[in-house]
């Protein structure tokens, strides 16, 4: 005979009793009693005649063990406390629960429920927004546990990294990766922790949230209401923010906000024109980061920028083809050198720069991985200039015979340039690996980086076993 499920027994045990051994867990006795009342079932601590089910935790004292054994002898169905709590959690009426908490402001209940892994994400987030943080204490236990509950629910980590669930630094990862706007809204209510990035830059939790690509209007409105300049800067650089708000931020006349706006792909042409009149660093970021079509190029030319500043546009990887063609026609050496290194140029455009016969562009062209192989071979055979050879040694599109010939020159600077090239023959890489003078360059070689990652991943897996 198939054993009845707990739900089936609940529905079939009207006017019966459920025996609960041990201490309650996620729910209080009152909460359990209210749940059972819906089925006309009462709870008891004693083995009585009308007990239909026994619920027991993992650990029992000797007296409870005896009761459990007696119930087993009487063939009374037994279920774990964990199984019962999962069933109760699945049957929570969110609206009733939230209303009851709002009426009583029962923070103890909020805290207990946040620790319940069985409740839905929607309910968890709503409870998280109701939790009252103890800002007057630097290291409040309940605050710390609430953060841990949040991280455990959302951050999936390896077993040997479990301590990350107890680290405030993991909050930054959550604020960066979260896709649920409601969760982001709840995270705004956390203490505004500061995180040290790359050992020098401090970033707050709220500005990290403001950089997230999954903001909705409600979250953005809340962030704006904080009147926090660092948050405003983060919003200014977020491409999901609507143009109207970006224009409002531009009107604040703040250089840091302007710099962030200059890198935001969502700014309109009016904002683009305005930013062209700002500080040189803002203009430089604008020329380097924005999509630039013929219309925007006209805005730039109308501004009559300094040639050194204008040359930045050549390194922009978001230029329309017509804009690139127009720029190639200009006799501006630094601009053409930047274009020559731009990997988004077509073969025809790179050849057009070469045909201009400007010696300063040769090394730049020789370094560009988009260069046709035939031209790279021509560069090696036709030009003895040292900067051209260094560029060829660094270029991953340079053919193996040329790389071997350059290596045979036994020139330290050429080898230094070659050390980070992912196309370098492995036998040459093995020789370079033992030269301590090349260690900085070798650490940038994708082949070696992949090898280190494979070893580290293997070590981590070995630790888990």
């Amino acid at each position: 005979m198939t054993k009845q499920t707990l739900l089936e027994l609940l529905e079939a045990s009207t006017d019966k009793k459920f025996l609960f051994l041990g201490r309650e867990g996620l729910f209080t006795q009152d909460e359990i009693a209210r749940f059972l009342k819906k089925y006309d079932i009462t709870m008891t601590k004693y083995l009585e005649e009308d007990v239909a089910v026994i619920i027991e935790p993992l650990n029992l004292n000797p007296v409870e063990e005896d009761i459990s054994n007696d119930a087993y002898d009487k063939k009374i169905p037994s279920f774990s406390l964990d199984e019962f709590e999962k069933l109760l959690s699945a049957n929570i009426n969110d609206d009733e629960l939230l209303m009851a908490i709002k009426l009583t402001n029962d923070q103890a209940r909020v805290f207990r429920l946040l620790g319940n892994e069985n409740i839905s994400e929607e309910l968890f987030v709503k409870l998280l927004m109701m939790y009252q943080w103890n800002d007057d204490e630097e290291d409040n236990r309940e605050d710390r546990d609430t953060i841990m509950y949040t991280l455990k629910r959302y951050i999936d980590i390896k077993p040997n990294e479990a301590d990350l669930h107890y680290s405030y630094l993991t909050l930054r990862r959550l604020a960066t990766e979260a896709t649920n706007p409601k969760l982001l809204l709840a995270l705004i209510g956390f203490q505004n922790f500061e995180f040290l990035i790359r050992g020098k830059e401090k970033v707050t939790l709220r500005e990290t949230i403001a950089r997230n690509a999954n903001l909705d209007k409600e979250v953005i409105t809340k962030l704006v209401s904080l009147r926090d300049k660092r948050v405003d800067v983060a919003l200014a650089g977020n491409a999901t923010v609507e143009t109207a708000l970006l224009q409002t931020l531009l009107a604040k006349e703040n250089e840091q906000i302007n710099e962030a706006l200059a890198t935001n792909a969502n700014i309109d042409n009016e904002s683009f024109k305005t930013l062209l009149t700002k500080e040189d660093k803002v203009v430089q970021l604008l020329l380097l980061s924005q999509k630039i079509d013929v219309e925007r190029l006209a805005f730039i030319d109308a501004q009559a920028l300094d040639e050194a500043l204008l040359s930045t546009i050549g390194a922009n990887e978001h230029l329309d083809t017509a804009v690139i063609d127009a720029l190639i026609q200009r006799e501006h050496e630094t601009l053409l050198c930047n274009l020559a290194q731009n990997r988004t140029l077509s073969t025809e455009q790179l050849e057009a720069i070469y045909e201009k016969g400007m010696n300063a562009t040769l090394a730049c062209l020789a370094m560009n991985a988009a260069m046709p192989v035939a031209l790279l071979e021509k560069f090696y055979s036709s030009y003895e200039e040292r900067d051209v050879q260094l560029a060829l040694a660094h270029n991953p599109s340079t053919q193996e015979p040329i790389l071997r010939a350059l290596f045979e020159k036994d020139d330290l600077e050429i080898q230094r340039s070659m050390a980070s090239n992912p196309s370098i023959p492995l036998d040459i890489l093995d020789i370079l690996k033992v030269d301590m003078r090349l260690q900085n360059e070798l650490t940038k070689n994708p082949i070696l980086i992949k090898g280190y990652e494979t070893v580290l991943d293997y070590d981590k897996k070995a630790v888990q076993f």
Side-chain angles (χ1 to χ4, degrees):
M1 182 177 176
T2 305
K3 180 182 176 181
Q4 287 181 287
T5 66
L6 181 55
L7 180 58
E8 288 171 343
L9 285 166
L10 269 171
E11 293 171 343
S13 300
T14 301
D15 297 327
K16 297 284 184 69
K17 294 178 181 178
F18 273 27
L19 168 57
F20 285 80
L21 295 177
R23 299 178 61 183
E24 65 269 14
L26 296 172
F27 298 97
T28 65
Q29 290 187 26
D30 287 344
E31 290 168 336
I32 293 172
R34 281 197 299 270
F35 172 68
L36 293 175
K37 188 177 180 180
K38 297 176 182 178
Y39 297 91
D40 293 321
I41 298 171
T42 55
M43 61 185 299
T44 181
K45 288 285 186 180
Y46 306 102
L47 186 55
E48 303 173 34
E49 288 299 324
D50 52 355
V51 168
V53 171
I54 181 171
I55 305 294
E56 50 190 348
L58 290 175
N59 298 315
L60 298 173
N61 63 37
V63 174
E64 292 163 343
E65 285 279 5
D66 289 341
I67 296 173
S68 177
N69 291 333
D70 290 343
Y72 177 79
D73 291 340
K74 293 183 177 183
K75 294 185 172 50
I76 299 175
S78 173
F79 295 88
S80 69
L81 178 62
D82 180 62
E83 190 171 353
F84 177 82
E85 288 176 339
K86 285 181 179 178
L87 181 61
L88 199 163
S89 300
N91 283 274
I92 289 175
N93 184 309
D94 292 5
D95 293 335
E96 287 181 7
L97 172 67
L98 295 169
M99 181 58 69
I101 291 174
K102 285 179 182 177
L103 290 172
T104 60
N105 191 27
D106 189 346
Q107 285 295 304
R109 192 177 186 188
V110 171
F111 177 70
R112 252 189 314 106
L113 285 163
L114 286 171
N116 184 347
E117 297 178 358
N118 303 312
I119 62 175
S120 67
E121 179 185 7
E122 183 179 3
L123 178 57
F124 178 85
V125 170
K126 288 178 179 178
L127 289 166
L128 198 57
M129 286 192 277
M130 296 174 73
Y131 179 75
Q132 293 178 357
W133 296 89
N134 298 276
D135 294 328
D136 55 327
E137 295 185 40
E138 290 186 5
D139 194 24
N140 178 272
R141 184 189 65 81
E142 290 190 354
D143 287 356
R144 188 170 64 248
D145 286 349
T146 297
I147 293 171
M148 179 195 67
Y149 296 150
T150 305
L151 296 179
K152 277 191 171 182
R153 178 172 281 265
Y154 290 101
I155 299 296
D156 185 22
I157 62 171
K158 297 177 181 178
N160 62 315
E161 297 174 337
D163 58 319
L164 293 178
H165 281 148
Y166 301 88
S167 171
Y168 292 156
L169 285 171
T170 315
L171 264 179
R172 178 176 173 268
R173 175 178 165 188
L174 177 59
T176 302
E177 298 177 356
T179 58
N180 182 351
K182 295 297 183 185
L183 173 61
L184 292 171
L185 190 63
L187 291 178
I188 295 173
F190 282 41
Q191 294 103 319
N192 195 25
F193 295 103
E194 278 195 342
F195 312 107
L196 193 62
I197 309 302
R198 294 184 293 276
K200 55 182 180 179
E201 179 190 358
K202 284 186 177 180
V203 179
T204 68
L205 176 62
R206 288 172 185 167
E207 65 180 302
T208 303
I209 294 168
R211 290 173 180 167
N212 190 296
N214 298 287
L215 307 183
D216 63 9
K217 288 184 178 180
E218 187 178 12
V219 179
I220 291 172
T221 300
K222 179 64 176 178
L223 288 168
V224 171
S225 73
L226 299 174
R227 299 184 183 278
D228 182 328
K229 190 181 79 171
R230 294 169 75 169
V231 170
D232 287 345
V233 171
L235 285 171
N238 192 329
T240 63
V241 174
E242 292 184 351
T243 303
L245 177 55
L246 296 180
Q247 291 171 338
T248 300
L249 292 169
L250 179 58
K252 288 180 178 285
E253 296 288 347
N254 178 277
E255 185 172 353
Q256 286 181 294
I257 289 176
N258 290 343
E259 289 174 8
L261 287 168
T263 65
N264 192 327
N266 200 33
I267 62 170
D268 60 3
N269 281 350
E270 286 304 311
S271 296
F272 184 91
K273 284 196 289 185
T274 302
L275 288 168
L276 278 171
T277 67
K278 302 299 181 182
E279 300 83 1
D280 282 0
K281 185 176 180 181
V282 174
V283 176
Q284 190 173 40
L285 288 169
L286 195 72
L287 297 180
L288 184 63
S289 309
Q290 291 294 319
K291 291 181 179 178
I292 297 179
D293 54 16
V294 173
E295 183 180 10
R296 285 189 169 183
L297 181 60
F299 298 154
I300 295 167
D301 287 337
Q303 202 60 37
L305 299 173
D306 172 80
E307 281 198 353
L309 185 57
L310 177 63
S311 67
T312 305
I313 197 174
N316 188 326
E317 296 187 354
H318 309 286
L319 303 175
D320 277 8
T321 298
V323 171
I324 295 173
D325 291 338
L327 293 174
I328 290 174
Q329 302 306 313
R330 304 187 182 190
E331 301 299 322
H332 183 338
E333 187 175 275
T334 309
L335 169 63
L336 288 170
C337 283
N338 286 340
L339 281 170
Q341 296 180 78
N342 192 325
R343 60 184 180 181
T344 64
L345 268 66
S346 67
T347 298
E348 293 74 20
Q349 289 167 334
L350 291 170
E351 289 176 343
I353 294 175
Y354 174 65
E355 293 299 328
K356 292 178 76 73
M358 195 174 287
N359 287 337
T361 64
L362 292 176
C364 299
L365 289 166
M367 188 176 289
N368 194 327
M371 279 289 286
V373 171
L375 263 183
L376 292 176
E377 291 174 345
K378 182 177 181 179
F379 278 18
Y380 177 71
S381 61
S382 303
Y383 300 99
E384 293 291 332
E385 286 84 347
R386 185 172 176 75
D387 57 350
V388 173
Q389 292 187 346
L390 291 172
L392 288 170
H394 184 75
N395 193 332
S397 294
T398 300
Q399 298 294 288
E400 182 177 326
I402 297 177
L403 290 174
R404 290 190 178 279
L406 289 169
F407 176 72
E408 291 300 324
K409 291 180 179 291
D410 198 23
D411 183 311
L412 177 61
E413 289 308 308
I414 288 178
Q415 291 178 3
R416 197 184 300 279
S417 187
M418 188 180 292
S420 60
N421 190 333
S423 297
I424 185 174
L426 292 179
D427 59 313
I428 294 178
L429 182 59
D430 286 338
I431 296 171
L432 298 181
K433 278 195 301 187
V434 299
D435 192 332
M436 296 303 295
R437 297 171 298 177
L438 306 177
Q439 292 308 300
N440 286 339
E441 290 74 21
L442 287 165
T443 58
K444 301 170 188 174
N445 192 306
I447 298 174
L448 293 178
I449 291 171
K450 186 176 181 180
Y452 294 148
E453 288 176 346
T454 301
V455 170
L456 287 171
D457 187 54
Y458 176 81
D459 288 344
K460 286 180 181 178
K461 289 177 180 177
V463 168
Q464 290 178 38
F465 289 100

